[in-house]
Amino acid sequence: MAARARLLISYAHPDDESFGLGGLIAKYVAEGVEVYLICATNGDVGTVKPEFMKGYDSVAALRLAELDKASKILGFKEVFKFGYKDSGMMSSETAKDPDCLWQQPVEAVTRRVVEVIREIQPQVVITFNKYGGYGHPDHIAIQRATVEAFFKASEPGYETGQAPYQPQKLYYSAIA
């Protein structure tokens, strides 16, 4: 019996999955692939018009609710929400917040990604290119952690309480 195909997408914000890979996700889910998502931040720095905030007490609550809806439509098997604060753009004050993704030690984020890789054992992992698509610090941070995790996940000495596992392929997405 062949192993079930599994794909892990490791992105930064609620909505990155939809504008970046929505069509690809829907295609693979329709073909029976188990598609998983890491969403590293809660999207709280995004701007939202007041009329769209009705029923939500924060931008993060709205963005995460949108992610839940998109996840159902796209058909993710599971979404791993890391819950870091959104960093905003590189030179912004929010990028200096110690709780934002950009300020996290890459080793700490890498460990969380390794744990997900070892848990779901995807054959393929997709993340941003090294430029984060267009230079967004959160995109760059999750890309660095994911690339490192792709290789560390197979190291027997990298202890997480889980068996080592090596995905077969790592792909980078780009925004054209």
Side-chain angles (χ1 to χ4, degrees), residues 8 38 80 82 112-121:
L8 173 63
I38 290 173
F80 297 86
F82 286 1
R112 294 183 76 182
V113 178
V114 167
E115 290 170 347
V116 172
I117 288 172
R118 288 179 172 179
E119 177 182 335
I120 66 171
Q121 299 187 346

Side-chain angles (χ1 to χ4, degrees), residues 9-68:
I9 299 163
S10 184
Y11 273 179
H13 307 105
D15 80 2
D16 288 346
E17 78 294 332
S18 295
F19 78 74
L21 298 175
L24 179 114
I25 294 164
K27 173 191 184 306
Y28 282 122
V29 167
E31 292 176 1
V33 175
E34 292 180 356
V35 182
Y36 298 83
L37 174 68
I38 290 173
C39 181
T41 76
N42 60 18
D44 61 306
V45 175
T47 56
V48 178
K49 292 182 179 180
E51 61 265 26
F52 296 117
M53 287 298 298
K54 291 182 177 137
Y56 299 96
D57 61 355
S58 68
V59 172
L62 170 65
R63 300 278 308 275
L64 292 170
E66 290 173 343
L67 174 60
D68 290 342

Side-chain angles (χ1 to χ4, degrees), residues 3 7 163:
L7 166 65

Side-chain angles (χ1 to χ4, degrees), residues 65-143:
E66 290 173 343
L67 174 60
D68 290 342
K69 290 175 185 172
S71 297
K72 287 183 176 105
I73 292 167
L74 291 170
F76 286 117
K77 178 84 173 173
E78 188 172 350
V79 176
F80 297 86
K81 298 174 186 171
F82 286 1
Y84 295 110
K85 284 180 140 184
D86 190 334
S87 303
M89 294 310 289
M90 196 66 78
S91 61
S92 67
E93 282 301 309
T94 54
K96 297 173 188 167
D97 186 324
D99 294 328
C100 76
L101 179 59
W102 181 245
Q103 294 297 327
Q104 301 308 304
V106 71
E107 300 82 18
V109 181
T110 296
R111 179 172 211 72
R112 294 183 76 182
V113 178
V114 167
E115 290 170 347
V116 172
I117 288 172
R118 288 179 172 179
E119 177 182 335
I120 66 171
Q121 299 187 346
Q123 291 90 358
V124 176
V125 176
I126 300 174
T127 191
F128 293 105
N129 64 22
K130 70 179 183 174
Y131 306 106
Y134 54 88
H136 195 294
D138 290 333
H139 296 183
I140 294 167
I142 195 64
Q143 188 272 351

